[in-house]
Amino acid sequence: MTTMTTRPGLAARLTALTKVVELGPGRLDRKLLNEANALLQRAGERLKLSSEHTVVALAGGTGSGKSSLFNAISGLELSPTGVRRPTTARTHACVWGLEGAAPLLDWLQIQWRHRFSRASALDKGDSQLHGLILLDLPDHDSIRALTDTEADRLIGLADLVVWVLDPQKYADASTHRRYVTELAGHDAVTVFALNQADRLTTEELAELVIDLNDLLRREGVEHPSVVPTSSVTGRGIESLKSVIATAVARRRAAIQKLEADLHRLEQRLAEAMPLGEAMTAPSSVDEARRLGLTDALCDAVGVPAVGEAMENVYAERSSQWVGWPYPRWIEKLRSDPLKTLRLEDVGDEIRGITTGSVTAQSAEVANAVHALADGLSMGMHPVWRTAVLQAARSRASQLPQALTEDLTEVAPQLDRVPGWWRLLKVWQYFLVAAFLAGAAWLAVGLIIPDQLPEGWEVLGDSATLPWVGLMMASVLGLGALSGIASRNFVELGASRERERLEREMRRRVAAVSATMVVEPVERELARHQAFYMALRDLSG
């Protein structure tokens, strides 16, 4: 047995169809997918079987003379012809060159008792038919459902189909509606035998041939091959045999049938999923959309609000450490600014945001996810738009909680005291102590200069008192300047803390969104691109 070698084009198109079937579930109509699967299975099985044999099926309705034509071509009375009600119940096969044909006949499910060999036909001038497997199919319009199903099955499996039509029912609706309209693109592997030509005059036959050709063209058969035949007079039998012999000699009918079946399926797939501008759709989420999603999610979980609150609390708490003490002590006589500004409540809100209130923003999270999917799927087929949106939403219900848990790890430490605050506080209290010492010196020198004990007279020396006053003024100025400078450093530090916090929160939001939104969406986008690339390759 010789297996069939396909042209590179057919092999590539079958590979493309395999990809379409692999990526199609949930996107393509189930019936269309089943047909594609069936074609792939049929092609795989047929290509493994003998390429030296061509399967030609005689198909037709009851009374078309199909079995008589089968016997006329084979030259033997192999298929019984009916008398009262002519009908074929079982498929009969006549094989020219039996060697290697058995696996193919098994695949066709032809019963052993209905297989006939024409090995001796080579001695009778039929060498051009060597490799032919001729099938006489059950009548497709039989009242027996079993034979009807078998006829349909073998019409699909045959490499070349000869439709046997009789003059009275050549335009039969059941034949044309169920079969002929499905033959568009199958011209090379379909022949129409207008049988029982002996019942017609020459003029009638010519008129019927013209009418049948016109009818077939209207139904999509661009180049119909019509052969008038008569099993009674033998008219046209040699012409039909010549057509069949040509197909057998070329050993191309099986490939042509598969190509025609593939072409028709490709047209139906193109109608269901038009290529259009599908190849221009993105295959991944670009950086701009990633940033847009991150921004939207940051807004949804309140990252800017957390950063602003953190900056305010940082700045206000610093006043307890780095502010010039005298103004701070005066402020204590007034109401507490923390309570006035409700910054303590802000601190509670910060902790709340990072421990559970993210779930309250689930609507904004959903809107951000939907906006991403909507922008990426613009122009796609509605089925794929829905698929991209479903992919984006696949973990949307878990997203708020995931953001909550991740952001909890970077909650701002509101009780953290930078080291430079402590050093500055020591410096400022040193200045306070210096000022108080100067004030005491000045008081002693002015009030009791003559009552100082021995050794302390310098405190009452009137010459030193101006210098003491100058020192006190310098201390106050230095303290005020250090207070102003420290406030500037605090504001700068608060801004940096806010940037650090927001940067880390954005990084974590981006990481969570990449895992839970972007990755599922990119898988769907890649599937979309691969599907349409396969459709493009399928069209050749």
Side-chain angles (χ1 to χ4, degrees), residues 30-205:
R30 185 180 296 275
K31 181 180 179 181
L32 200 53
L33 273 178
N34 290 340
E35 290 182 16
N37 266 316
L39 175 56
L40 285 172
Q41 181 178 358
R42 183 168 73 250
E45 291 172 349
R46 180 63 184 97
L47 294 174
K48 291 177 183 178
L49 297 170
S50 175
S51 63
E52 300 299 319
H53 290 84
T54 301
V55 180
V56 177
L58 299 180
T62 304
S64 62
K66 177 168 45 62
S67 296
S68 298
L69 194 59
F70 176 83
N71 292 335
I73 295 173
S74 64
L76 301 171
E77 292 293 327
L78 301 178
S79 186
T81 56
V83 179
R84 293 184 178 179
R85 181 175 179 82
T87 182
T88 302
R90 292 291 180 183
T91 301
H92 293 70
C94 183
V95 183
W96 280 257
L98 193 59
E99 183 180 357
L104 186 52
L105 291 167
D106 291 339
W107 179 62
L108 295 170
Q109 299 179 23
I110 306 300
Q111 298 178 3
W112 279 93
R113 65 177 179 274
H114 295 147
R115 300 179 185 180
F116 306 96
S117 173
R118 279 303 306 266
S120 60
L122 298 178
D123 300 327
K124 297 183 178 182
D126 281 346
S127 59
Q128 74 274 18
L129 295 179
H130 183 71
L132 168 64
I133 297 179
L134 185 64
L135 304 180
D136 180 18
L137 303 187
D139 304 324
H140 68 76
D141 56 355
S142 172
I143 59 174
R144 301 180 184 180
L146 178 62
T147 59
D148 198 33
T149 302
E150 183 175 2
D152 287 348
R153 179 180 65 83
L154 289 171
I155 288 171
L157 296 179
D159 302 328
L160 185 147
V161 178
V162 177
W163 285 97
V164 183
L165 306 173
D166 70 79
Q168 292 182 338
K169 296 192 298 182
Y170 72 92
D172 179 56
S174 65
T175 299
H176 288 263
R177 185 174 58 252
R178 290 178 56 188
Y179 300 104
V180 176
T181 55
E182 297 294 318
L183 296 177
H186 289 68
D187 302 20
V189 289
T190 307
V191 178
F192 297 90
L194 186 57
N195 200 25
Q196 301 175 6
D198 56 284
R199 298 182 180 181
L200 303 172
T201 65
T202 303
E203 293 76 11
E204 290 174 334
L205 181 60

Side-chain angles (χ1 to χ4, degrees), residues 23 45 48 107 111 136 193 209 216 236 293 331 339 366 421:
L23 300 172
E45 291 172 349
K48 291 177 183 178
W107 179 62
Q111 298 178 3
D136 180 18
V209 169
L216 292 172
L293 176 63
E331 287 292 332
K339 294 181 178 179
W421 287 11

Side-chain angles (χ1 to χ4, degrees), residues 230-404:
S230 171
S231 57
V232 175
T233 64
R235 177 175 182 175
I237 300 300
E238 290 303 318
S239 296
L240 182 58
K241 288 173 69 173
S242 177
V243 171
I244 295 174
T246 299
V248 171
R250 292 178 62 194
R251 303 288 189 264
R252 284 276 303 137
I255 298 297
Q256 288 176 316
K257 175 65 180 303
L258 291 175
E259 288 175 338
D261 290 344
L262 199 56
H263 176 68
R264 178 166 181 78
L265 182 62
E266 180 267 325
Q267 288 182 318
R268 296 184 61 191
L269 287 170
E271 291 175 2
M273 290 285 177
L275 192 60
E277 298 181 359
M279 296 304 298
T280 64
S283 59
S284 62
V285 181
D286 58 88
E287 190 62 27
R289 285 194 171 91
R290 286 174 182 261
L291 291 175
L293 176 63
T294 299
D295 290 340
L297 292 178
C298 284
D299 290 340
V301 300
V303 169
V306 173
E308 183 178 359
M310 172 64 185
E311 185 176 18
N312 291 337
V313 171
Y314 183 97
E316 190 58 40
R317 287 190 66 254
S318 68
S319 64
Q320 302 173 14
W321 292 82
V322 301
W324 182 226
Y326 293 118
R328 187 168 66 246
W329 292 336
I330 294 173
E331 287 292 332
K332 284 189 175 181
L333 300 176
R334 304 175 184 176
S335 58
D336 189 347
L338 280 175
K339 294 181 178 179
T340 302
L341 296 174
R342 296 179 58 82
L343 290 176
E344 290 178 339
D345 294 339
V346 171
D348 292 338
E349 290 176 9
I350 293 174
R351 294 188 182 91
I353 289 175
T354 57
T355 57
S357 64
V358 170
T359 54
Q361 307 299 324
S362 56
E364 293 183 29
V365 171
N367 288 339
V369 170
H370 189 279
L372 175 74
D374 212 35
L376 288 167
S377 61
M378 190 71 65
M380 288 185 180
H381 188 283
V383 170
W384 286 101
R385 284 182 64 88
T386 301
V388 172
L389 181 58
Q390 289 176 343
R393 290 176 172 175
S394 60
R395 301 181 66 184
S397 60
Q398 307 167 22
L399 187 55
Q401 184 60 32
L403 290 171
T404 299

Side-chain angles (χ1 to χ4, degrees), residues 417-475:
V417 179
W420 70 273
W421 287 11
R422 299 180 188 275
L423 293 175
L424 189 58
K425 187 171 186 177
V426 170
W427 164 251
Q428 289 175 331
Y429 274 98
F430 169 76
L431 294 178
V432 169
F435 179 81
L436 291 176
W441 187 340
L442 193 61
V444 170
L446 293 174
I447 298 174
I448 54 171
D450 299 329
Q451 300 178 15
L452 294 172
E454 185 179 355
W456 293 84
E457 295 86 352
V458 68
L459 296 178
D461 187 353
S462 59
T464 63
L465 294 181
W467 293 104
V468 173
L470 180 61
M471 181 270 293
M472 291 176 63
S474 299
V475 167

